[in-house]
Amino acid sequence: MDVALGLLVLVAVVCAGSALGRKINVSVPLLLVLAGVAGSFLPFVPRIELNPELVLVGLLPPLLYAAALKTSLFDFGSNRRSIGLLSVGYVIFGTVGIGFVVWWLFPEIPLAAAIALGAVVAPPDAVAATAIARKVGMPRRIVSILEGESLVNDATALVCLRAAIAAIGGTVSAADIAGGFLVAAGGGLVVGLAAAYVLTELRKRIRSVAINTSTSLMAPFLAYLPAEAIHASGVLAVVVTGLVMGTKAPSMPNGAARLSQRSNWTTVQFLLENSVFLLIGLQVRTIIEGVQGDSLGSARIWAGCAVILLAVLLLRPLWVFPATYLPRLIPSVQRNDPAPPWQFPAIVSWAGMRGVVTLAAVLVLPADLEHRSVLVLAAMVVVGGTLALQGFTLPALVRLLRVQGPDPREDALNQASLMQQATAAGVERLQELRTASDPPEVMAMLKRRTQERGLAAWERLGRPSTEASTPSQRYAQLRLAMLDAERAKVLELRRGGEYAHEVLSEVLDRLDVEESMLEASLEELETSDGGGERAARPGGICEHLDSASSPAVPPDAYCADCAREGTTPVHLRMCLACGNVGCCDSSPGTHASKHFDATRHPVMRSAEPGEDWRWCYEDDVLG
């Protein structure tokens, strides 16, 4: 009964805190940590001791798998050098650096135990990093690097922790540590790939949505447990499985199973991710009381914890900046991946929040270790300090450095272009399949509905919210009203008892499917409205677009400003007045918009292959 009540309260607080945080625009993870801290000092709240096995085996695998499912394997691969330098290089650097700081502060603590604490606090937490990064709206490459780092760094940290714990109980050689790394990395990679292969083959053959979804929920443990059984990295195995499954999922059959998997994993991630932050706060009172009476003295302990937190904050930029720029002294690296502006490593340096894995890992230290409670308190101070200092100030830092996140209008343009190409491929396939016996009205309906879906993406570009609804918006609004009436009629007939329950449920399910699709489409359309900063001409009429010339895009088009400044463009745009080629607003330089600001040349066009749309800066109109 107590367990059930505790779970009920936990979920209720998580849901209420999440809703409140979004309403008052405060970071939900930080709000839940504060709620947990307050709850830990309330007399009627029972003490909750964090079980390290529950976190490292029960919570960490599904959390990492959910994050890996949403991570692009291609982005991970393109940033593998940066991710590797952070998830392996920085963790080892931080482990050793923090270890010696702890040993210098508290000589009474063995060096091996100090190194163990370094391994515990070195890796930024996967949950904390991704939760804060998504809210801040950083450039996509920074988010990809942070997500990739947070997915892999726990594997490095846990190997370092195992080696340090082994050293506490005896001796461990450099060869043992190197061998442990090889077994952890190689075994985790092999098990992860094997688990992904087995799961892919199974899910291809399972038509039942419920069984398919259940198989997906088993995936993180199917990868984690065998890897740990052979002393490999279960964390790495889970990440590899999640990356592969996330990449393969869109090409697998059974769209209903894919939708179910996405919905279920979103719910699982929401509950576990936010529960983790609440659990962090609930540990505060127990950990603080644990150091009462320690022979090191209260003042010395708290001062030492503050210095350890300061060292954690300083060591990360000491690694990040050289790791960012030193590899680019190699000409081939600089040529293929030019150095980013200094603001990028500055943000990566400050995005180092620690989380529940740090607290769980420090509890793995031997119970009979002298001054163990001091090490646990130091880990808690690092977690709380990084979440508070970095979590609260990171959005302000991003704004201060004027680093732009993804441009919604640029994304909408690319989405519309992608949808146009997909629609063209669908129509081409329709022409291949049609036969002389196919009714003309069926062919016309298929083409019309396919083209309408593609046109809907273009409608929301350059149309501010003050104007009338787009055709797609109006269609969704009217159809939703019709569905309400249809559902009301079915429910009325259900009360009459004339139809079987199974028949009624099937009809209601079909209405629900259509309603969910329309609501998602309408929400996307409304979210993308109002992105323009300038008012569009009534009816979308634009004399600049009408009078603009249509020069051909040079085959070797490139952004000269990006080449001069050493930045990398995302997409290219060409001015139709003078032919200047600049980069888009999602690029670091935003040189196309800067060209308009400097010259007031109103119209540009896409310089990307296969795209022929134009844009008027003056009237915010697409042509």
Side-chain angles (χ1 to χ4, degrees), residues 95 98-122 161 164-165 168 287-288 290-292 294 296-297 300-302 304-306 308-309 312 357-384:
T95 296
I98 296 298
F100 278 99
V101 169
V102 173
W103 193 43
W104 171 67
L105 290 168
F106 304 113
E108 299 87 348
I109 296 177
L111 178 60
I115 295 291
L117 179 64
V120 165
V121 302
L161 178 61
I165 291 176
I168 293 174
I287 293 175
I288 290 177
V291 297
Q292 302 295 331
D294 191 279
L296 293 177
R300 184 184 173 195
I301 291 173
W302 283 102
C305 289
I308 293 171
L309 172 61
V312 168
V357 175
T358 293
L359 283 182
V362 77
L363 296 176
V364 175
L365 293 176
D368 58 350
L369 179 64
E370 191 176 4
H371 306 296
R372 178 179 182 271
S373 60
V374 177
L375 299 179
V376 175
L377 177 65
M380 188 207 71
V381 170
V382 169
V383 171

Side-chain angles (χ1 to χ4, degrees), residues 125-178:
D125 186 70
V127 178
T130 54
I132 300 295
R134 284 197 300 266
K135 177 178 175 57
V136 171
M138 302 179 192
R140 284 201 174 96
R141 185 173 189 189
I142 294 181
V143 175
S144 297
I145 291 173
L146 290 176
E147 287 181 342
E149 175 199 7
S150 64
L151 287 175
V152 181
N153 59 9
D154 285 330
T156 307
L158 291 176
V159 172
C160 292
L161 178 61
R162 289 172 184 170
I165 291 176
I168 293 174
T171 59
V172 60
S173 65
D176 293 334
I177 297 175

